[in-house]
Amino acid sequence: DTGVSQDPRHKITKRGQNVTFRCDPISEHNRLYWYRQTLGQGPEFLTYFQNEAQLEKSRLLSDRFSAERPKGSFSTLEIQRTEQGDSAMYLCASSLAGRGASYGYTFGSGTRLTVV
Amino acid sequence: DQQVKQNSPSLSVQEGRISILNCDYTNSMFDYFLWYKKYPAEGPTFLISISSIKDKNEDGRFTVFLNKSAKHLSLHIVPSQPGDSAVYFCAASAEYGGTSYGKLTFGQGTILTVHP
């Protein structure tokens, strides 16, 4: 169990540029989640995959955001035409379906995005 | 619409004393409640959970209490240690009452500082 890995840890980009983040979940975990956390707030749900299928997207996820999990393993989150309001910590988490919410899930250390 | 609320942004306690962190929720569909702990520059770490069919769950120094009628839960840490200093998030899931994929709704967090 090597944990959930996220890359990069930090990203500074100019407004209007596109950025892509990567998440590698725990290998046997078939559920993968993306959350966003802004200063002084708790993580907010963005989207969820079970295997390669994206099963839910939050209203927070505008059409500038897209997420993929092409082979049911790693996932990418892309933000197009970044805006200053996109500055946040982007967290990825994974879990095993059927294990139940009582076990929680494992978060990565996050990617901190700063849009200047 | 803040469905999970932590009304105390911060809490300061002396080492060895009890820390009590509080959380309120509004959604009656929530049936699992979890506490996460977060250190700076790391992702949240699962601490303890409780099912809505229970009113107490204990794990070592950590005990979570649930009062369903008041839609209130609390985390007790006894005795508190300086290493417990972190941000604590309350989270809730509608695992069986709603879509059963483990989506979590988080509170805003409480910064706990334990002084030696």
Side-chain angles (χ1 to χ4, degrees), chain A residues 13-83:
Chain A
T13 190
K14 291 185 178 178
R15 185 163 53 93
Q17 297 293 305
N18 299 344
V19 294
T20 300
F21 311 140
R22 178 180 169 120
C23 171
D24 287 90
I26 292 171
S27 57
E28 64 268 25
H29 284 183
N30 50 2
R31 289 180 172 177
L32 186 146
Y33 311 82
W34 285 97
Y35 283 77
R36 180 172 69 186
Q37 184 181 10
T38 53
L39 199 62
Q41 299 297 317
E44 294 176 290
F45 172 80
L46 292 179
T47 191
Y48 154 74
F49 290 86
Q50 179 142 330
N51 301 312
E52 66 275 10
Q54 187 175 20
L55 297 184
E56 183 166 340
K57 289 170 58 172
S58 163
R59 292 189 305 272
L60 293 174
L61 222 59
S62 76
D63 56 7
R64 296 184 298 105
F65 288 70
S66 62
E68 293 183 343
R69 194 182 183 199
K71 295 183 181 178
S73 57
F74 73 92
S75 176
T76 58
L77 177 69
E78 181 184 15
I79 309 174
Q80 296 182 327
R81 305 181 304 281
T82 52
E83 301 172 355

Side-chain angles (χ1 to χ4, degrees), chain B residues 25-115:
Chain B
Y25 64 96
T26 57
N27 189 342
S28 300
M29 300 293 278
F30 289 144
D31 46 18
Y32 273 97
F33 302 89
L34 305 91
W35 285 93
Y36 280 80
K37 173 175 160 180
K38 185 179 184 305
Y39 292 117
E42 294 183 12
T45 303
F46 171 70
L47 200 55
I48 191 169
S49 66
I50 188 167
S51 162
S52 59
I53 62 172
K54 296 186 175 181
D55 54 19
K56 178 182 173 181
N57 188 26
E58 193 171 351
D59 183 2
R61 297 186 297 114
F62 302 91
T63 303
V64 56
F65 295 92
L66 175 63
N67 182 334
K68 277 186 67 177
S69 60
K71 293 191 174 66
H72 177 83
L73 64 154
S74 60
L75 175 68
H76 292 210
I77 307 173
V78 183
S80 302
Q81 299 173 353
D84 296 329
S85 297
V87 181
Y88 287 78
F89 291 101
C90 169
S93 170
E95 182 73 356
Y96 298 109
T99 312
S100 59
Y101 56 73
K103 168 186 168 182
L104 293 178
T105 301
F106 284 84
Q108 309 95 308
T110 296
I111 301 170
L112 173 66
T113 304
V114 181
H115 298 284

